[in-house]
Amino acid sequence: MPVDVVLGLQWGDEGKGKIVDFLAPSYDIVARFQGGPNAGHTIYMGDSKVVLHSIPSGVLHERPINLIGNGVVLDPAQFAMEVQQLESLGIDLYGKLLISERAHLILPTHRLLDASSESHMGERRIGSTLRGIGPAYTDKAARQGLRVGDIRFGDFVRRYEALRDAHLRRLDQQVSLDLAQQEQQWWAGIERMRAFRLVSGEQVLYEALSQKQLILAEGAQGTMLDIDFGTYPYVTSSNTTAGGVCTGLGIPPTAIRSVLGVIKAYCTRVGSGPFPTELNDETGERLRQAGQEFGATTGRPRRCGWLDLVAVRYAIRLSGVQQLIVTKADVLNGFDPVQVATAYLVNGQPTEQFPYDLVRQKAVPVYRPLRGWNLNHQAASHCETLQAFLDFVAQYTGVPVSHVSTGPQREQVVCFA
Ligand code: IMP
């Protein structure tokens, strides 16, 4: 059972990219199983900052092969930019990046549809990253999407044009159309993709599993943005929970050995939707500045708040998480006390269950204050108050904390396992 899974347990931006990069040298394959360029997985390599949107976060190391799985939606233009970014850092991708032929393509008109849908929703808008993710998954479910493997067939241009024209008929006239330029970049991206091995991802993984190779499945976004279990309708369009690993890569559930859940020591959310522990005050602003909480994909300021253990425990149960990885512990330096939510009051009634609907009913968090720390003065491995915080998280959730990240650099990870 050599598949391990790394998932976000909050609303995304938990620092999964750094953790996958940290773990990657121990694996033969790193495989992204869902989402698309709405993700922004940031990795610091010395002075260089790399932001990966569609390419798996194992790509900066020699050992693993990286697979973009069938559950991903891929934008060729964005993909080409990422390839260029990595090449400028001297990273040769050609031998170590595979793309599933079953992954769906994001068209330029998917992005226009995303923008149009959000502008029609007004107050009720999702706060989408506008990368065309929702419309691309919609076409997939409507059985009219284009897949990566389709680029090899002679009718691809005709099929592209037919889908594009169907999209254009749905768009209203106000949408600004610099489409010709976007299409040019898109087709250049398609040419770039042709240089890579377009594979049957499920067959590659079947063979790897047969040879007892080690596979790391990389999730994007977070559990609370899952299409089924997140704060619907303020969610993304894919399954970000462990179930998405099997459908997004074509591996059996019995192949999964362990599930690692990543959480920040506090909590953030980008875009609209419920966020029970959000702080709309000075403390929230202090967290934003200390944590540099601005979107890696859109640059939007992230909403900030305290760690919500009700939501984290819900996420753990959904995916069978066996180990927790806590990131950005250093951001809480000097915050004292540090609050964690252990229950909600819904209609005045206390509950530890994550409610069905947080849009029509408000959840007021019940906090437990814990003593703060300062990792500028004390090493994480010897800091009693940080240890007490981690013990509290482990005790409340029933899941041990295996690693703590204490800064953006690769080496700033403390292992407790
Ligand atoms: P979409 O997936 O771009 O349609 O966005 C849907 C919702 O998920 C919006 O609230 C986005 O801000 C949020 N979202 C999508 N991808 C990410 C991510 O990688 N990190 C954090 N939030 C995300």
Side-chain angles (χ1 to χ4, degrees):
M1 302 188 298
V3 180
D4 295 335
V5 179
V6 171
L7 295 171
L9 302 186
Q10 296 164 314
W11 279 275
D13 307 315
E14 298 92 350
K16 297 175 291 297
K18 173 182 162 160
I19 298 302
V20 171
D21 171 70
F22 173 79
L23 298 172
S26 311
Y27 290 86
D28 300 297
I29 300 180
V30 174
R32 254 287 288 278
F33 61 88
Q34 46 70 232
N38 46 353
H41 291 176
T42 307
I43 303 166
Y44 288 87
M45 276 199 318
D47 292 338
S48 308
K49 176 180 171 184
V50 182
V51 184
L52 298 169
H53 299 282
S54 312
I55 294 178
S57 303
V59 83
L60 304 181
H61 294 278
E62 277 302 309
R63 180 174 174 195
I65 295 288
N66 293 265
L67 170 70
I68 299 177
N70 59 280
V72 171
V73 283
L74 191 62
D75 180 339
Q78 175 66 50
F79 172 76
M81 281 195 286
E82 255 176 276
V83 169
Q84 200 174 5
Q85 178 200 198
L86 291 165
E87 281 178 351
S88 71
L89 292 170
I91 293 159
D92 177 18
L93 290 172
Y94 288 95
K96 61 178 180 193
L97 179 64
L98 312 177
I99 309 173
S100 166
E101 58 197 0
R102 293 184 191 275
H104 276 246
L105 291 168
I106 300 176
L107 273 58
T109 39
H110 281 137
R111 274 185 272 150
L112 298 177
L113 286 167
D114 220 354
S116 162
S117 149
E118 284 283 82
S119 76
H120 279 110
M121 302 246 278
E123 290 278 280
R124 289 182 302 113
R125 69 182 173 279
I126 307 296
S128 160
T129 60
L130 304 180
R131 295 300 188 268
I133 308 294
Y137 278 118
T138 302
D139 275 347
K140 175 179 178 176
R143 291 150 295 171
Q144 58 189 24
L146 292 176
R147 299 184 292 173
V148 166
D150 296 338
I151 72 174
R152 294 182 300 220
F153 293 94
D155 62 352
F156 181 62
V157 174
R158 188 186 55 73
R159 290 183 61 206
Y160 166 83
E161 286 172 353
L163 186 55
R164 174 199 63 190
D165 293 346
H167 291 160
L168 288 174
R169 283 193 292 277
R170 276 163 45 200
L171 285 161
D172 62 32
Q173 299 305 312
Q174 282 104 14
V175 176
S176 78
L177 297 181
D178 51 339
L179 187 56
Q181 196 201 343
Q182 289 187 32
E183 285 190 299
Q184 211 180 8
Q185 290 167 353
W186 195 84
W187 284 104
I190 293 283
E191 288 313 308
R192 246 326 169 61
M193 278 170 50
R194 289 188 199 281
F196 289 88
R197 279 178 58 207
L198 312 180
V199 297
S200 160
E202 62 280 17
Q203 180 66 20
V204 167
L205 295 177
Y206 171 75
E207 285 167 17
L209 287 168
S210 308
Q211 292 160 20
K212 305 255 178 298
Q213 291 190 1
L214 291 176
I215 298 162
L216 186 63
E218 176 181 13
Q221 292 82 50
T223 300
M224 305 311 292
L225 291 170
D226 182 277
I227 179 90
D228 284 282
F229 298 105
T231 46
Y232 193 87
Y234 297 97
V235 292
T236 191
S237 310
S238 61
N239 282 116
T240 58
T241 40
V245 177
C246 298
T247 54
L249 292 178
I251 56 152
T254 44
I256 295 176
R257 175 174 69 176
S258 69
V259 183
L260 287 71
V262 187
I263 57 171
K264 272 182 200 171
Y266 50 100
C267 195
T268 62
R269 173 164 203 167
V270 211
S272 329
F275 179 6
T277 60
E278 181 172 17
L279 295 167
N280 288 306
D281 60 8
E282 269 177 33
T283 311
E285 185 54 35
R286 205 176 135 202
L287 277 173
R288 186 173 305 115
Q289 296 306 330
Q292 279 303 293
E293 295 295 354
F294 299 91
T297 297
T298 58
R300 291 180 290 178
R302 296 182 184 136
R303 299 156 64 192
C304 296
W306 295 119
L307 178 62
D308 181 345
L309 287 181
V310 179
V312 168
R313 189 163 63 185
Y314 169 68
I316 284 172
R317 290 174 180 174
L318 286 169
S319 292
V321 173
Q322 293 139 306
Q323 281 177 45
L324 284 173
I325 299 178
V326 177
T327 60
K328 295 190 121 174
D330 54 305
V331 171
L332 292 182
N333 281 346
F335 284 80
D336 203 2
V338 167
Q339 307 278 1
V340 292
T342 53
Y344 299 145
L345 290 177
V346 178
N347 298 326
Q349 296 298 315
T351 178
E352 291 187 9
Q353 305 298 314
F354 196 80
Y356 164 73
D357 185 335
L358 285 176
V359 178
R360 288 165 197 83
Q361 51 184 14
K362 206 169 144 38
V364 180
V366 178
Y367 285 114
R368 169 78 168 250
L370 298 172
R371 282 184 56 207
W373 54 84
N374 195 330
L375 301 179
N376 292 326
H377 303 146
Q378 237 179 339
S381 50
H382 293 97
C383 179
E384 278 174 23
T385 49
L386 173 60
Q387 192 59 59
F389 170 86
L390 300 175
D391 287 347
F392 186 82
V393 170
Q395 190 207 355
Y396 182 94
T397 59
V399 176
V401 176
S402 62
H403 299 80
V404 177
S405 163
T406 57
Q409 295 293 337
R410 275 176 162 175
E411 55 284 359
Q412 291 176 298
V413 176
V414 182
C415 181
F416 289 95

